[in-house]
């Protein structure tokens, strides 16, 4: 029923239907030497607040075949390392464009978590907490967009492009923050296999965002009618959920009427630009993310990995190398183009990027040529505003099975993201149980903060 607000407005205008339409927008180095007071002062400086792009990798990408290769060891597999623009920093041969921008990348090779199940790992990495218990923790996108957004913004504060939520839907929601902080979801027409070689561009859209001429002409009258229903109902009902639903509707209306909504129309971009990003969902999603950052959207996430169409995802229990090669091409084109475009527009210093999935992959290659789930020692990458690039923090053993230096946890990664964005990770929100909960429970990783 989501993405169907306009249709509902055109039908029988009961309040029950209006409430059903509310679903429209509900639509994871050490920290030694940390100087808490200085960090707190920097984090709370409004002038340092930035925007964020989360590049979410569904299925759990192999660290040994992307950013922490083990050449010369049996666990290393068939991929080769290549030099980057940073002396001594080497990454996969299948990420050649990112290699030319390595001065912008901070690779964390000492990430260790405790969840090796897709659903539990997804929840952990996206909220900073293991699932279970009475508290419904919000996704980091909801928490950060709450801090970074402004009430007069014309576009949603949090936009999620082509999310795959089947592992754990709660990991993509606002939790106890409520529907006001839920993401607006951009749906995608999926493409399988090597999406960069597809004959047409992936189709990304929010249904009914740009109504036809006739529908647009009738929209003001429908909005007036809805406001009459809401005004009468709110006069006698003051529950937070009712107020939250009203806020969702108001933001939906504001976006539908705003010229900024044109950011969702990728057809206005030259084909040459679209091709540079890649024709698949991830490539076009990265292009859309750039356009949304230009419109000052505080938090945008783009997903890579689709379980509903073939093997175009990072869960490589078999045929790991062929699959990772294809996915790396999509990742390289989309991410490298995104950073270059942001740099060219003067926006990279004000945009922080985090690349991660729910866990890493086993160093040992199984009998099917695959790698299994491995949360013990894996990698994530940060880039852009607030981040010192051109470095790798943490080190794993020669066989990739253990962390020898710079072990960090998901809370540390999320606290670092907060700090880079200019948000105090110690900022607290109150849960439905009345419990104050920090946005991020770890400590910022000082070595990669600018």
């Amino acid at each position: 029923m989501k993405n169907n607000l306009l249709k509902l407005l055109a039908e029988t205008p009961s309040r029950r239907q209006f409430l059903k339409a509310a679903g429209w927008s509900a639509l994871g180095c050490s920290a030694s030497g940390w100087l808490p007071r200085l960090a707190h002062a920097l984090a709370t400086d409004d002038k340092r607040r930035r925007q964020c792009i989360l590049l979410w990798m569904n299925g759990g990408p192999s660290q040994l075949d992307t950013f922490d290769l083990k050449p010369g060891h049996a666990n290393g597999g068939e991929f080769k390392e290549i030099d980057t623009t940073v002396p001594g920093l080497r990454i996969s041969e299948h990420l050649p464009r990112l290699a030319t921008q390595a001065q912008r990348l901070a690779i964390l090779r000492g990430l260790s978590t405790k969840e090796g199940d897709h659903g539990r790992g997804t929840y952990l990495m996206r909220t900073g907490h293991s699932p279970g218990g009475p508290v419904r923790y919000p996704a980091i996108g909801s928490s950060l967009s709450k801090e970074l957004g402004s009430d007069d913004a014309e576009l949603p504060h949090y936009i999620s492009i082509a999310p795959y939520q089947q592992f754990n839907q709660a990991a993509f929601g606002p939790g106890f923050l409520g529907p006001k902080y839920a993401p607006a979801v951009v749906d995608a027409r999926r493409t399988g296999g090597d999406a960069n070689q597809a004959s047409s561009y992936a189709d990304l859209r929010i249904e009914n965002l740009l109504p036809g001429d006739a529908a647009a002409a009738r929209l003001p009258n429908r909005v007036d009618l809805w406001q009459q229903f809401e005004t009468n109902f709110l006069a006698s009902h003051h529950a937070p959920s009712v107020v939250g639903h009203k806020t969702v509707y108001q933001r939906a209306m504001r976006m539908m009427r705003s010229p900024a909504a044109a950011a969702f129309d990728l057809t206005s971009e030259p084909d040459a630009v679209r091709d540079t990003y890649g024709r698949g969902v991830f490539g076009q999603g990265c292009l859309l993310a750039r356009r949304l950052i230009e419109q000052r959207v505080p938090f945008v996430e783009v997903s890579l990995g689709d379980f509903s169409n073939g093997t175009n995802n990072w869960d490589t229990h078999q045929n790991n190398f062929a699959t990772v090669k294809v996915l790396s091409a999509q990742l390289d084109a989309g991410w490298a183009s995104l950073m270059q475009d942001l740099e060219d527009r003067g926006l990279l210093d004000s945009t922080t990027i985090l690349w991660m999935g729910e866990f890493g992959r086993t160093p040992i290659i199984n009998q099917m040529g695959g790698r299994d789930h491995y949360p013990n020692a894996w990698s994530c990458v940060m880039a852009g505003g607030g981040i010192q690039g051109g470095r790798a923090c943490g080190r794993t053993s020669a066989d990739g099975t253990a962390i020898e230096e710079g072990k960090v946890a998901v809370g540390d990664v999320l606290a670092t993201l907060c700090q880079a964005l200019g948000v105090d990770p110690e900022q607290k929100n109150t849960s439905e149980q009345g419990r104050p909960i920090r946005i991020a429970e770890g400590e910022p990783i000082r070595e990669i903060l600018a």
Side-chain angles (χ1 to χ4, degrees), residues 264-316:
F264 292 94
D265 182 13
L266 297 184
T267 62
S268 62
E269 293 282 348
D271 286 352
V273 172
R274 302 188 72 177
D275 286 338
T276 300
Y277 279 80
R279 296 190 168 202
V281 172
F282 182 75
Q284 296 301 292
C286 286
L287 175 57
L288 177 54
R290 187 214 79 198
R291 292 169 63 89
L292 294 173
I293 291 295
E294 290 178 300
Q295 295 297 326
R296 305 302 299 169
V297 175
F299 196 100
V300 183
E301 68 175 319
V302 188
S303 296
L304 175 55
D306 179 14
F307 284 78
S308 64
N309 191 350
T311 59
N312 194 47
N313 62 73
W314 296 97
D315 195 26
T316 53

Side-chain angles (χ1 to χ4, degrees), residues 224-427:
D224 289 342
L225 183 59
W226 165 72
Q227 289 178 333
Q228 291 178 26
F229 276 96
E230 282 297 286
T231 299
N232 293 335
F233 189 81
L234 286 170
S236 56
H237 298 75
H238 304 286
S241 60
V242 177
V243 177
H245 283 146
K246 182 182 180 181
T247 302
V248 169
Y249 274 101
Q250 289 176 327
R251 288 188 174 174
M253 298 295 182
R254 191 182 304 165
M255 179 168 65
M256 293 172 67
R257 293 168 160 175
S258 171
F264 292 94
D265 182 13
L266 297 184
T267 62
S268 62
E269 293 282 348
D271 286 352
V273 172
R274 302 188 72 177
D275 286 338
T276 300
Y277 279 80
R279 296 190 168 202
V281 172
F282 182 75
Q284 296 301 292
C286 286
L287 175 57
L288 177 54
R290 187 214 79 198
R291 292 169 63 89
L292 294 173
I293 291 295
E294 290 178 300
Q295 295 297 326
R296 305 302 299 169
V297 175
F299 196 100
V300 183
E301 68 175 319
V302 188
S303 296
L304 175 55
D306 179 14
F307 284 78
S308 64
N309 191 350
T311 59
N312 194 47
N313 62 73
W314 296 97
D315 195 26
T316 53
H317 291 284
Q318 57 187 354
N319 202 26
N320 172 78
F321 298 99
T323 302
V324 173
K325 181 179 178 179
V326 170
L327 290 165
S328 294
Q330 297 172 49
L331 177 66
D332 192 55
W335 187 358
S337 298
L338 173 62
M339 286 199 297
Q340 189 60 59
D341 266 4
L342 291 174
E343 175 72 31
D344 292 344
R345 288 163 172 76
L347 293 170
L348 187 57
D349 285 344
S350 60
T351 306
T352 308
I353 299 172
L354 172 59
W355 176 88
M356 67 179 184
E358 62 262 42
F359 41 61
R361 313 299 302 187
T362 52
I364 295 176
I365 302 167
N366 66 31
Q367 294 181 344
M368 296 182 292
R371 298 188 190 272
D372 304 313
H373 304 175
Y374 198 70
N376 295 6
W378 52 296
S379 303
C380 68
V381 183
M382 301 186 76
I387 299 298
Q388 290 193 53
R391 63 195 60 206
C393 291
R395 186 183 69 243
T396 53
S397 55
D399 62 1
T401 61
I403 296 172
E404 296 183 334
E405 180 180 297
K407 183 177 181 178
V408 296
V410 57
D412 303 323
V413 172
L414 298 183
T416 306
L417 177 63
C418 290
Q419 194 74 30
L421 290 166
V423 174
D424 184 356
E426 297 185 14
Q427 173 73 27

Side-chain angles (χ1 to χ4, degrees), residues 37-359:
R37 292 182 180 176
L38 176 60
H40 179 83
L42 291 174
T44 55
D45 183 347
D46 287 341
K47 295 179 180 178
R48 288 177 59 86
R49 295 205 164 187
R50 298 181 168 94
Q51 296 165 269
C52 183
I53 298 175
L54 171 60
L55 301 179
W56 179 255
M57 303 294 107
N58 288 314
S62 170
Q63 70 282 2
L64 294 96
D65 305 308
T66 52
F67 293 102
D68 190 13
L69 282 72
K70 300 298 177 184
H73 194 283
N75 292 349
E78 61 189 55
F79 289 179
K80 297 180 175 59
E81 286 185 316
I82 58 172
D83 291 329
T84 70
T85 51
V86 178
L89 184 60
R90 297 166 68 85
I91 62 176
S92 166
E93 61 180 321
H94 299 300
L95 301 172
R97 291 184 58 194
L98 284 174
T100 67
Q101 301 185 52
Q103 72 279 5
R104 297 167 176 157
L105 306 178
I107 304 172
L108 297 174
R109 289 173 171 164
L111 179 56
S112 182
T113 54
K114 297 183 181 302
E115 300 289 356
D117 168 80
H118 286 296
R120 295 183 63 86
T122 297
Y123 191 88
L124 173 65
M125 295 306 297
R126 295 181 61 89
T127 68
H129 299 271
S130 292
V135 179
R136 298 184 303 125
Y137 293 100
I140 191 65
S142 294
S143 298
L144 288 174
S145 61
K146 175 177 179 290
E147 301 300 319
L148 298 170
S150 63
D151 290 339
D152 60 351
E154 295 187 334
L155 296 183
H157 298 167
Y158 176 14
I159 297 178
S160 181
I161 302 171
Y164 180 79
Q165 304 181 58
Q166 280 75 358
F167 285 147
N168 193 320
Q169 293 191 0
F172 292 81
F176 62 74
L177 293 179
K180 179 179 179 180
Y181 301 102
V185 174
V186 177
D187 291 325
R189 182 175 297 173
R190 310 287 180 173
T191 54
D194 189 346
N196 285 352
Q197 303 302 317
S199 59
S200 60
Y201 299 109
D203 185 11
L204 306 179
R205 65 177 62 186
I206 294 179
E207 295 293 340
N208 296 322
L209 174 63
L210 302 174
D213 292 341
R218 294 192 294 269
L219 184 59
N221 291 333
R222 295 169 179 169
V223 172
D224 289 342
L225 183 59
W226 165 72
Q227 289 178 333
Q228 291 178 26
F229 276 96
E230 282 297 286
T231 299
N232 293 335
F233 189 81
L234 286 170
S236 56
H237 298 75
H238 304 286
S241 60
V242 177
V243 177
H245 283 146
K246 182 182 180 181
T247 302
V248 169
Y249 274 101
Q250 289 176 327
R251 288 188 174 174
M253 298 295 182
R254 191 182 304 165
M255 179 168 65
M256 293 172 67
R257 293 168 160 175
S258 171
F264 292 94
D265 182 13
L266 297 184
T267 62
S268 62
E269 293 282 348
D271 286 352
V273 172
R274 302 188 72 177
D275 286 338
T276 300
Y277 279 80
R279 296 190 168 202
V281 172
F282 182 75
Q284 296 301 292
C286 286
L287 175 57
L288 177 54
R290 187 214 79 198
R291 292 169 63 89
L292 294 173
I293 291 295
E294 290 178 300
Q295 295 297 326
R296 305 302 299 169
V297 175
F299 196 100
V300 183
E301 68 175 319
V302 188
S303 296
L304 175 55
D306 179 14
F307 284 78
S308 64
N309 191 350
T311 59
N312 194 47
N313 62 73
W314 296 97
D315 195 26
T316 53
H317 291 284
Q318 57 187 354
N319 202 26
N320 172 78
F321 298 99
T323 302
V324 173
K325 181 179 178 179
V326 170
L327 290 165
S328 294
Q330 297 172 49
L331 177 66
D332 192 55
W335 187 358
S337 298
L338 173 62
M339 286 199 297
Q340 189 60 59
D341 266 4
L342 291 174
E343 175 72 31
D344 292 344
R345 288 163 172 76
L347 293 170
L348 187 57
D349 285 344
S350 60
T351 306
T352 308
I353 299 172
L354 172 59
W355 176 88
M356 67 179 184
E358 62 262 42
F359 41 61

